[in-house]
Amino acid sequence: MACYYCLLLETRNSRRSNESSQKYSEASIKMCQELGIKVIDLWTALQNRDDWLTAHFTDGVHLSAEGSKVVVKEILKVVKEAEWEPNLHWRSLPTEFAEYSPCIFVGPDSKTAVNVADMDFEWQAQWI
């Protein structure tokens, strides 16, 4: 089954199709595996259900909200499996002049200072 956009292109004697996209995806995956690079198989991930075209795309080309969730899920899988510590994670960056902060946050006991960088917020839970 080819996407709507691909079908339009095929009618204009184009070589673009869902099948050719699959071949390109498989070749890219093979190359990454040969090079020892982590790879995300989005072609398969986005077509894992019968209604993939309408569920994961708004117009056959652009991702829907559901399609975007699939992409994020696949990216996070690879990032979580990686054997590295992200050096640009906001918690690992040094805080300049923290001792001179105009805002001092106090803990629930009304006595202890709280470092906001050490706090976990509800909106972060899905990314941690």
Side-chain angles (χ1 to χ4, degrees):
M1 175 186 299
C3 68
Y4 175 73
Y5 181 70
C6 294
L7 289 173
L8 286 177
L9 290 173
E10 283 183 39
T11 59
R12 296 184 187 142
N13 296 325
S14 175
R15 289 182 273 165
R16 294 183 188 179
S17 67
N18 198 40
E19 290 74 21
S20 64
S21 295
Q22 180 183 14
K23 289 177 187 174
Y24 183 83
S25 174
E26 290 169 351
S28 298
I29 291 167
K30 183 179 177 187
M31 181 188 69
C32 288
Q33 289 170 340
E34 290 172 0
L35 294 172
I37 299 171
K38 292 277 186 184
V39 64
I40 300 170
D41 184 1
L42 288 179
W43 190 90
T44 301
L46 289 169
Q47 296 192 34
N48 66 352
R49 49 193 275 187
D50 292 337
D51 64 341
W52 65 270
L53 183 56
T54 55
H56 295 153
F57 295 93
T58 58
D59 57 5
V61 177
H62 300 96
L63 292 171
S64 65
E66 185 67 29
S68 295
K69 287 178 186 176
V70 171
V71 171
V72 168
K73 179 181 168 190
E74 295 299 314
I75 291 172
L76 287 177
K77 255 196 262 183
V78 171
V79 169
K80 288 178 181 179
E81 292 171 0
E83 296 176 12
W84 59 282
E85 185 66 33
N87 61 355
L88 293 179
H89 189 276
W90 67 275
R91 285 192 176 162
S92 65
L93 295 174
T95 305
E96 290 187 50
F97 312 112
E99 63 276 11
Y100 301 112
S101 174
C103 300
I104 298 174
F105 296 94
V106 180
D109 63 1
S110 300
K111 297 176 185 173
T112 310
V114 175
N115 184 351
V116 178
D118 292 332
M119 295 175 69
D120 288 321
F121 299 100
E122 187 177 324
W123 62 269
Q124 294 171 317
Q126 65 180 326
W127 308 110
I128 296 176

